[in-house]
């Protein structure tokens, strides 16, 4: 067989290795949604600790994504990919066998540290694997679909594993894929680096990470424990550091986050869409997982099967986005994504203390169409909105918006739901699962706890729906009408994206 025939096969084998890691990074953002009741029973985290277990991973990934992308450009993408995979595996093993909430949170943070290297480095590796524009465009579509599918099937995979094994199994499944990658990546993949000007500003990295964590800690603490001095101080400090971070980016010659890109309205709408779609999706996924098991009484396997229709629709919508864009255009598809998401979220408001399974499935199916369109279009729309030489920065910001939204959904809307439970619940414990596991709990107390949780669920989801519809109407006003030639070639800017990573 000629080298011309074997080269594409080698490229696709290497691409398959990268996809495995991409799926893991996405899946680990959601795999714990159905596992939390089991984790709560096993290691008894507080309400605040339970939220940190869920979202510390996303915060670490989001806060370091751009910095690690820049470092990878300078010091080698494959080197970062291998190091990140190793850290991800070590963190996964530590999480699986964590005997306490504190160690589980630390292990999830280590997984996030590894995950922050994988997305930007993986995208650059793809550019090197597929110099042919058509193959590259096809690879981008598969990459986006894999990332979306990982988010979508995470709860399903978690539920299936938990039906047969203990909660740590949702982390151990990462190890074989990481081991295969570390064994074969040096053979199938080539090093990629760029001679970029300037340097990564270490102070900006510290400002963004510390500011985000302090601000979110303040929100969590207020929801779980009420207003306190240390909570207020942490919040003020976090906001102050983030403000300092913004001011610094505007003065640096090579900023960590190029805020001038947000002067373009199309770019701003795209990034806000990436952020808000994951805020809504993650909050609904987490709260619904608790709702199905602790309110409606489904076991983890039944809850996983109920999540399947929405996961299938989301994945199909992501894969079929190119066809949708061919028919109605990118602008219309992106606008439609907001209204599908918002309508799906509103359907979840029909889920009550009893008989809410049908409303849940309908909600995930309708919203899944919007999520799929959004996940596929955000990065491409953001990149297309800026000059070609700034495509790399635009793509990195779009990816960061997804990861940050995934974490903020649980932190902010999850904290809102937790606050309402603490305010309206029986006061027996800080979470619904802890309350229901209290020995000798009266039926009236259990009913009050479930009512309080459903009220918190409805409020959080209602806020997400309002924000989603508001952004949809903003998109109608801000997104310009496109020419037919742009509709006919939806992969053109995707190719530009990879050429400039």
């Amino acid at each position: 067989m000629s080298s011309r025939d074997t080269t594409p096969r080698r490229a696709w084998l290497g691409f398959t290795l990268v996809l495995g890691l991409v799926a893991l990074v996405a899946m680990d953002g959601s795999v714990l949604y159905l596992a939390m009741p089991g984790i709560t029973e096993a290691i008894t985290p507080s309400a605040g600790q339970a939220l940190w277990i869920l979202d510390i991973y996303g915060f670490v990934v989001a806060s370091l994504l751009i910095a690690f992308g820049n470092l990878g450009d300078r010091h080698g993408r494959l080197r970062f990919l291998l190091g990140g995979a190793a850290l991800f595996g070590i963190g996964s093993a530590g999480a699986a066998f964590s005997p306490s909430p504190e160690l589980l949170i630390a292990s999830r943070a280590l997984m996030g540290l590894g995950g922050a290297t994988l997305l930007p480095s993986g995208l650059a590796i793809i550019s090197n694997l597929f110099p042919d524009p058509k193959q590259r465009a096809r690879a981008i579509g598969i990459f986006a679909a894999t990332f979306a599918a990982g988010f979508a099937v995470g709860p399903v995979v978690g539920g299936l594993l938990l039906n047969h094994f203990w909660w740590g199994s949702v982390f151990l499944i990462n190890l074989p894929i990481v081991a295969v990658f570390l064994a074969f990546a040096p053979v199938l993949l080539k090093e990629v680096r760029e001679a970029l000007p300037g340097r990564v500003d270490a102070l900006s990295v510290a400002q963004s990470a510390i500011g985000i964590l302090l601000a979110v800690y303040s929100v969590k603490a207020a929801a779980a424990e009420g207003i306190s001095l240390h909570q207020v101080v942490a919040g003020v400090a976090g906001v102050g550091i983030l403000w300092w971070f913004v001011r610094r980016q505007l003065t640096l010659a090579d900023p960590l986050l190029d805020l001038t890109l947000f002067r373009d309205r199309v770019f701003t709408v795209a990034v806000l869409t990436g952020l808000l779609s994951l805020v809504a999706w993650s909050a609904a996924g987490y709260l619904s997982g608790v709702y199905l098991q602790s309110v409606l009484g489904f076991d983890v396997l039944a809850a996983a099967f109920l999540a399947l229709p929405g996961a299938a629709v989301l994945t199909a919508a992501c894969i079929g986005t190119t066809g949708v864009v061919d028919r109605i255009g990118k602008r219309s598809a992106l606008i439609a994504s907001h209204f599908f998401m918002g309508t799906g979220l509103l359907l979840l408001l029909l889920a009550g203390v009893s008989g809410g399974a049908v409303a849940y499935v309908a909600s995930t199916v309708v919203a899944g169409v919007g999520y799929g369109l959004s996940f596929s279009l955000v990065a491409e729309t953001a990149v297309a909105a800026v000059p070609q030489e700034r495509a790399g920065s635009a793509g990195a910001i779009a990816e960061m918006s997804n990861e940050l939204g995934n974490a903020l959904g649980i932190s902010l809307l999850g904290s809102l739901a937790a606050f309402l439970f603490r305010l309206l619940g029986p006061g027996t414990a800080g979470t619904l699962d802890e309350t229901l596991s209290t020995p000798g709990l009266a039926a009236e107390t259990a009913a009050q706890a479930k009512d309080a949780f459903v009220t918190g669920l409805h409020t959080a989801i209602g806020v997400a729906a309002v924000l989603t519809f508001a952004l949809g109407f903003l998109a109608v006003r801000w997104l310009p009408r496109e020419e037919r030639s742009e509709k006919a070639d939806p992969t053109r800017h995707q190719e530009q994206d990879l050429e400039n990573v």
Side-chain angles (χ1 to χ4, degrees):
M1 187 177 290
S2 68
S3 60
R4 183 178 179 182
D5 295 328
T6 58
T7 300
R9 181 179 299 175
R10 181 188 180 94
W12 285 110
L13 286 173
F15 180 55
T16 302
L17 281 180
V18 176
L19 284 187
L21 291 182
V22 170
L24 287 184
V25 172
M27 194 170 66
D28 274 85
S30 61
V31 73
L32 292 186
Y33 291 168
L34 293 180
M36 283 311 296
I39 292 175
T40 298
E41 183 178 355
I43 60 176
T44 61
S46 66
Q49 288 173 330
L51 292 176
W52 277 118
I53 289 170
L54 285 162
D55 55 32
I56 187 64
Y57 172 84
F59 278 121
V60 173
V61 171
S63 62
L64 296 176
L65 193 66
I66 293 179
F68 280 9
N70 289 327
L71 289 171
D73 283 337
R74 289 164 171 79
H75 302 293
R77 293 290 195 174
L78 182 57
R79 181 184 301 177
F80 260 64
L81 208 55
L82 291 169
L87 284 177
F88 194 85
I90 294 170
S92 297
F97 298 104
S98 294
S100 67
E102 293 81 5
L103 286 176
L104 181 53
I105 292 170
S107 296
R108 290 277 287 167
L110 185 60
M111 291 173 65
L113 189 64
T117 72
L118 302 181
L119 290 177
S121 295
L123 198 58
I125 291 289
I126 292 173
S127 178
N128 189 61
L129 286 174
F130 299 101
D132 179 74
K134 291 184 178 180
Q135 286 188 335
R136 190 183 307 164
R138 181 183 176 194
I140 292 176
I142 297 174
F143 184 96
T146 300
F147 192 73
F151 269 121
V153 306
V156 179
V157 171
L160 294 174
L161 286 170
L162 292 168
N163 189 57
H164 299 286
F165 308 104
W166 100 112
W167 62 266
S169 62
V170 301
F171 299 109
L172 287 184
I173 61 169
N174 298 337
L175 300 184
I177 298 176
V178 169
V180 169
F181 179 84
L182 293 175
F184 291 99
V187 178
L188 295 172
L189 302 176
K190 295 180 180 180
E191 185 59 275
V192 179
R193 57 167 56 90
E194 301 288 343
L196 296 179
R199 61 183 178 83
V200 176
D201 185 57
L203 179 57
S204 295
V205 175
Q207 287 173 327
S208 61
I210 295 172
I212 288 172
L213 290 175
L214 285 176
V216 173
Y217 165 78
S218 178
V219 173
K220 289 175 176 291
E225 303 166 8
I227 304 297
S228 65
L229 178 61
H230 77 274
Q231 173 264 327
V232 172
V233 170
V236 171
V239 172
I241 291 173
L242 288 175
W243 176 252
W244 181 22
F245 168 77
V246 170
R247 298 289 298 176
R248 183 172 179 80
Q249 302 316 293
L250 296 175
T251 61
L252 291 174
D254 300 293
L256 180 67
L257 187 65
D258 189 354
L259 296 174
T260 61
L261 293 175
F262 287 93
R263 293 171 182 168
D264 187 283
R265 288 184 172 186
V266 176
F267 177 83
T268 300
V269 168
V271 171
L272 287 177
T273 300
L275 179 76
L276 190 55
S277 62
L278 266 297
V279 165
W281 185 85
S282 61
Y286 162 55
L287 294 172
S288 296
V290 176
Y291 169 76
L292 292 174
Q293 295 176 80
S294 299
V295 177
L296 298 186
F298 289 104
D299 61 31
V300 69
L301 182 61
F305 279 121
L306 286 172
L308 271 176
V313 169
L314 191 158
T315 304
C318 183
I319 295 172
T321 295
T322 300
V324 174
V325 170
D326 283 342
R327 287 181 173 273
I328 67 174
K330 184 172 60 179
R331 176 183 184 273
S332 297
L334 190 61
I335 290 172
S337 72
H338 296 93
F339 293 100
F340 273 107
M341 287 187 286
T343 302
L345 291 169
L346 288 181
L347 289 174
L348 196 55
L349 300 183
L350 301 177
V353 176
S354 60
V358 173
Y360 165 76
V361 173
S363 169
T364 59
V365 167
V366 175
V369 177
Y371 295 138
L373 293 172
S374 168
F375 293 170
S376 298
L377 288 172
V378 163
E380 195 272 331
T381 303
V383 169
V386 303
Q388 185 173 344
E389 65 272 13
R390 305 174 81 181
S393 296
I397 293 173
E399 290 175 2
M400 184 190 70
S401 72
N402 284 163
E403 290 295 336
L404 189 59
N406 187 44
L408 285 176
I410 298 170
S411 294
L412 301 182
L413 297 183
S415 292
L416 175 60
F419 170 76
L420 289 172
F421 180 82
R422 190 173 64 86
L423 185 67
L424 303 175
T428 306
T431 66
L432 175 62
D433 291 322
E434 288 179 304
T435 301
L436 296 179
S437 62
T438 302
L441 186 70
E444 294 81 2
T445 304
Q448 182 184 355
K450 291 180 179 180
D451 281 332
F453 178 85
V454 171
T455 299
L457 166 69
H458 287 170
T459 303
I461 297 304
V463 169
V466 169
L467 292 175
T468 301
F469 280 123
L471 185 55
F473 286 115
L474 185 66
V476 172
R477 296 196 57 177
W478 277 12
L479 294 181
R481 296 189 180 277
E482 55 200 334
E483 298 296 330
R484 182 61 198 173
S485 59
E486 292 181 357
K487 295 181 183 179
D489 188 10
T491 63
R492 175 169 59 89
H493 293 297
Q494 289 179 335
E495 294 170 8
Q496 290 180 359
D497 182 11
L498 280 182
E499 289 170 359
N500 290 278
V501 171

